[in-house]
Amino acid sequence: KRSQYPCFAVTQQSQFLLEATTFNTIHNMRVLAASLLLLEAASGLSIPMTMGTGNTFGRTFRISTWGESHGGGVGVTLDGCPPRLEITREEIQKDLDRRRPGQSRITTPRNEADAVEILSGLNPENITIGTPIAMLVRNKDQRSTDYLDNDMKVAYRPSHADATYDAKYGVRAIAGGGRSSARETIGRVAAGAIARKILQKHNNIEILGYVSKVQDIETTNVDHDTFTVEDVDKNIVRCPDEEVAEKMLERIDEIRTSGNSIGGVVTCIARNVPAGLGGPVFDKLEADLAKACMSIPAAKGFEVGSGFGGTLLSGKEHNDEFYIDPETGATRTKTNRSGGIQGGISNGENIVVKVAFKPTSTIGQKQGTVTRDGQEVELRGKGRHDPCVLPRAIPMVEAMVALTLVDHVMMQVAQCELFPNEAPLELQPNPMGSTAHREGGPAVFDAESQPEKALSQRVDEE
């Protein structure tokens, strides 16, 4: 086949690999893609997918999750983890315990220990060995009869994935929702715990989330520089503002006892992120964070920094002015409306993202729906479900942010830090961000070099 189609090489796994020297323009790459599809159709060859379409996330630090809500178990295969990292089962279990069901009256009462089993990738001393890490959590308390012994086996739950799943695959996992269940996120949280450990060792990067809004009840009194996980976990709502948390809990209880559900917003902060992560075009850091967080079940909105609120400001009001930190000499911003990302690249300030979650689809009130064969009926949801997903969504958001950041850290090291910048200090950009330090402290300029008036720029942009 190599002689017949010189632009392709076929491996033993029948995967096509581009011989990069043959194609040196973006145009030719597009022609290649189209030719590949024509070749497949003409020759009957198929292009294998990796680990099931849509179940893999990441490029360098890659996860593939698997398993269904009411199957034997759920888990994840993590590839690309650096070797020689010490990671214990207890560190992973800590994050899974914050995600697991049955924690309080405002979460689903399904009773799962969610005990993780590490099947591969570590030696007996709990050191990663550079090979794929497989982790499994067995399902113990699934009750499939809640779905199979009533109308829920034939009727679609309004706003749930039941109908669209059936439309896509022509078959669905009725019990528990299968892959559309939030139980799928166990694998993400387990892998996210490892990502969190890598980030902490890399630059002391810390990722913390909290419930910032339940319906119209919102807190604006959380210091993003100082709040801790202990502050978050002081109450079952997981809002570090105790006064607002009480109001949130009252609202959730009111909705819960009526057989209904409620949504809101999770805010997530990443501290000590170095400047330089991300890219200016398709690999924008906020774009990858958006995909990561919007892939979480029930997520319906995403913001970075000022988000949609920034549209109400003028440029002068919204811009984050720069200054030089008098202690470190690093370039900093006076405000953080950018949410730690400018031009798709981290600027060294706190990364601030918000994820909006809709009310849970399955509720205990009657709703109009249709059956699989097209009959209009009424349905009252049964089974065990969260009246509010927000408290358990926090470790999910933290995990997806951690997975995205560690992926970008690895890509940054591979592309931009493979060769050190050996230019003289005065020709290098001033260090940037909250953890950066300029060698020798702030730059010193003589009086003659200081401009007497504001600098002006002639800008010619598209």
Side-chain angles (χ1 to χ4, degrees):
K1 285 187 173 59
R2 178 184 289 272
S3 60
Q4 185 178 359
Y5 305 107
C7 59
F8 297 109
V10 183
T11 69
Q12 291 181 346
Q13 293 77 27
S14 300
Q15 293 181 338
F16 293 106
L17 301 176
L18 171 65
E19 293 184 357
T21 54
T22 308
F23 302 95
N24 55 11
T25 69
I26 293 177
H27 172 73
N28 283 344
M29 291 296 292
R30 290 170 176 164
V31 172
L32 169 64
S35 300
L36 180 58
L37 295 176
L38 291 174
L39 173 64
E40 180 185 4
S43 63
L45 294 173
S46 61
I47 306 170
M49 299 293 184
T50 59
M51 189 54 194
T53 304
N55 296 303
T56 298
F57 178 83
R59 282 159 286 192
T60 304
F61 192 86
R62 246 185 355 179
I63 67 166
S64 294
T65 68
W66 39 267
E68 290 82 38
S69 175
H70 283 219
V74 292
V76 64
T77 302
L78 165 61
D79 204 2
C81 181
R84 302 181 303 281
L85 173 73
E86 183 178 3
I87 186 79
T88 66
R89 177 192 172 280
E90 288 71 26
E91 289 175 289
I92 298 168
Q93 192 64 50
K94 181 179 178 181
D95 281 6
L96 288 174
D97 286 345
R98 297 183 77 220
R99 194 224 70 94
R100 73 176 181 85
Q103 297 181 50
S104 72
R105 68 177 184 270
I106 61 173
T107 65
T108 172
R110 180 169 171 173
N111 185 22
E112 295 280 5
D114 287 351
V116 65
E117 302 173 32
I118 304 175
L119 307 180
S120 67
L122 272 67
N123 68 14
E125 288 74 39
N126 295 320
I127 305 297
T128 60
I129 56 176
T131 58
I133 300 172
M135 292 177 280
L136 165 68
V137 168
R138 300 181 190 274
N139 296 327
K140 301 287 188 180
D141 189 35
Q142 63 269 45
R143 295 181 187 172
S144 300
T145 55
D146 287 343
Y147 299 83
L148 301 178
D149 291 349
N150 54 65
D151 292 337
M152 288 178 68
K153 67 181 178 182
V154 293
Y156 299 132
R157 286 170 286 177
S159 288
H160 199 277
D162 293 341
T164 51
Y165 194 114
D166 213 357
K168 178 177 178 63
Y169 297 107
V171 64
R172 67 187 178 98
I174 298 171
R179 291 290 287 165
S180 62
S181 167
R183 194 144 183 82
E184 175 273 330
T185 63
I186 283 176
R188 308 180 192 212
V189 174
I194 298 177
R196 189 194 295 270
K197 181 71 174 284
I198 296 171
L199 293 171
Q200 189 275 329
K201 291 181 70 67
H202 173 68
N203 202 56
N204 198 29
I205 297 172
E206 186 179 21
I207 299 170
L208 286 173
Y210 66 94
V211 174
S212 56
K213 190 173 184 180
V214 172
Q215 215 166 48
D216 61 337
I217 303 172
E218 183 175 11
T219 177
T220 57
N221 192 33
V222 177
D223 188 335
H224 289 171
D225 290 324
T226 61
F227 83 96
T228 65
V229 67
E230 289 77 21
D231 295 331
V232 174
D233 288 347
K234 277 183 180 178
N235 55 73
I236 60 177
V237 180
R238 288 193 168 139
C239 174
D241 185 336
E242 289 284 351
E243 183 178 344
V244 175
E246 291 181 8
K247 297 177 181 178
M248 291 176 172
L249 182 57
E250 289 177 5
R251 180 69 59 84
I252 295 171
D253 276 336
E254 177 187 346
I255 294 292
R256 175 181 62 86
T257 55
S258 68
N260 213 336
S261 62
I262 193 171
V265 177
V266 168
T267 295
C268 189
I269 312 300
R271 302 172 185 154
N272 301 328
V273 178
L277 305 187
V281 188
F282 297 118
D283 290 338
K284 282 180 164 61
L285 183 56
E286 67 260 55
D288 284 349
L289 285 169
K291 178 178 180 180
C293 293
M294 289 296 289
S295 72
I296 300 171
K300 282 295 183 181
F302 179 84
E303 292 184 345
V304 177
S306 63
F308 289 102
T311 63
L312 305 177
L313 305 177
S314 68
K316 175 66 174 177
E317 293 169 325
H318 189 271
N319 288 344
D320 296 317
E321 293 187 0
F322 291 112
Y323 75 101
I324 298 300
D325 189 306
E327 294 184 5
T328 66
T331 300
R332 302 287 306 277
T333 62
K334 295 179 179 179
T335 53
N336 192 24
R337 299 184 188 93
S338 301
I341 304 172
Q342 295 172 333
I345 302 170
S346 63
N347 65 2
E349 305 296 333
N350 287 346
I351 290 179
V352 182
V353 303
K354 295 181 179 180
V355 187
F357 289 90
K358 69 181 180 70
T360 317
S361 299
T362 306
I363 61 175
Q365 298 185 8
K366 286 185 179 180
Q367 301 179 91
T369 186
V370 299
T371 61
R372 196 170 192 265
D373 58 6
Q375 180 183 0
E376 292 184 351
V377 296
E378 282 190 335
L379 177 69
R380 186 195 302 272
K382 297 183 179 180
R384 297 164 296 175
H385 303 277
D386 295 88
C388 179
V389 301
L390 298 172
R392 295 178 60 217
I394 290 171
M396 303 176 197
V397 174
E398 291 175 347
M400 294 312 296
V401 170
L403 291 168
T404 303
L405 290 180
V406 79
D407 205 29
H408 275 273
V409 165
M410 290 183 173
M411 289 189 289
Q412 170 70 6
V413 171
Q415 181 190 16
C416 298
E417 299 176 17
L418 187 63
F419 305 114
N421 187 348
E422 297 178 345
L425 185 62
E426 62 271 15
L427 297 182
Q428 296 184 26
N430 195 55
M432 187 177 195
S434 62
T435 62
H437 292 77
R438 179 184 176 89
E439 185 178 334
V444 178
F445 300 94
D446 56 51
E448 295 181 358
S449 66
Q450 297 294 318
E452 295 182 1
K453 57 182 180 179
L455 298 175
S456 62
Q457 290 181 320
R458 185 179 298 276
V459 178
D460 183 16
E461 293 180 329
E462 182 178 50

